[in-house]
Amino acid sequence: MTSPPVELVIFDCDGVLVDSERICVKVDAVITGELGCGFTEAEIVELFVGSSTEVYTAAVEERLGRRLEKGWQRQYEHLYEEALAAGLTAVDGVAEALDALTAPFCVASNGDHDAIRNSLQLTALTERFEGRVFSAADVSRGKPAPDLFLHAARSMGVDPDRCAVVEDSAYGVQAARAAGMRAFGYCGGLTPAGRLEGPGTVVFDDMRRLPALLGAVRA
């Protein structure tokens, strides 16, 4: 039995389109250290990469043993902005992959719209996703809940079982599976392949291979 063809490719942003996770993990380590609940970079990769702000805040509060004020992260936003402006690049091979895709594509990220827009602008990817950017701010629950991917599919007019999600985090592939979508786990960044593997998921380490992998879905 063959699978239905892919009619929409949904990309995560951080770590999939833009190589931001390496930068943000270092900033997260500085911030949690200043708060007095320092997380190592290895812990940050395991616990926070691909997570929602709510997951991040809950973990920090648990280690601190106290609640943080609402909007606590705003005072640190400049640290991310400065680090990204100085060193953000597109993920290796992603431009070639986008050029080779035959199905429509969009981006769906746990980041807010301003952050997504900034990342796409810094890496010259804005025009490729014009009018097809979806944020966790658009739904009640971010990843690992399926809401964001289902919202993107609905907005693009495609059934979930005809969507493919490209993710680099355990939270992201979990959300894709929960949405009933096929997941493609990119392990060329910080997340080990073993954390992405699972049912309905293809794990790969070279973004240039993505078009061929998508094309093989219906085989």
Side-chain angles (χ1 to χ4, degrees):
M1 189 169 104
T2 60
S3 301
V6 172
E7 295 182 3
L8 175 66
V9 184
I10 304 175
F11 287 89
D12 178 36
C13 185
D14 295 306
V16 171
L17 296 176
V18 302
D19 197 11
S20 55
E21 301 290 22
R22 304 176 200 276
I23 297 171
C24 292
V25 162
K26 294 184 182 303
V27 176
D28 288 338
V30 170
I31 292 171
T32 57
E34 288 187 3
L35 287 169
C37 64
F39 286 78
T40 66
E41 291 187 15
E43 287 178 315
I44 292 166
V45 170
E46 181 177 355
L47 298 172
F48 302 149
V49 168
S51 71
S52 64
T53 299
E54 291 75 20
V55 169
Y56 183 24
T57 298
V60 171
E61 289 178 337
E62 181 178 2
R63 183 164 292 191
L64 271 177
R66 62 178 174 84
R67 298 294 299 273
L68 292 167
E69 61 191 43
K70 187 175 181 181
W72 68 273
Q73 286 181 295
R74 293 195 192 101
Q75 63 185 306
Y76 299 110
E77 285 179 354
H78 70 284
L79 297 179
Y80 294 104
E81 292 169 358
E82 291 164 4
L84 292 170
L88 186 65
T89 60
V91 165
D92 183 43
V94 76
E96 293 95 321
L98 293 172
D99 286 341
L101 290 181
T102 56
F105 52 84
C106 64
V107 57
S109 167
N110 265 351
D112 62 34
H113 279 284
D114 287 342
I116 301 168
R117 186 180 306 111
N118 183 58
S119 291
L120 295 179
Q121 287 177 342
L122 287 171
T123 53
L125 294 174
T126 301
E127 291 185 5
R128 296 175 181 271
F129 291 93
E130 195 68 47
R132 291 169 283 123
V133 175
F134 305 97
S135 161
D138 303 330
V139 295
S140 59
R141 301 179 300 170
K143 308 168 198 175
D147 305 32
L148 177 56
F149 290 146
L150 293 172
H151 168 63
R154 189 164 49 247
S155 299
M156 297 291 290
V158 179
D159 291 336
D161 67 347
R162 293 178 178 267
C163 295
V165 172
V166 187
E167 270 285 354
D168 73 316
S169 75
Y171 291 108
V173 294
Q174 181 181 336
R177 293 172 193 144
M181 301 177 181
R182 283 158 286 189
F184 289 76
Y186 175 65
C187 64
L190 297 181
T191 304
R195 296 207 67 216
L196 302 174
E197 293 170 348
T201 305
V202 174
V203 178
F204 68 108
D205 63 1
D206 184 346
M207 197 58 73
R208 295 174 185 84
R209 293 181 57 215
L210 179 63
L213 294 172
L214 290 167
V217 163
R218 69 180 84 181

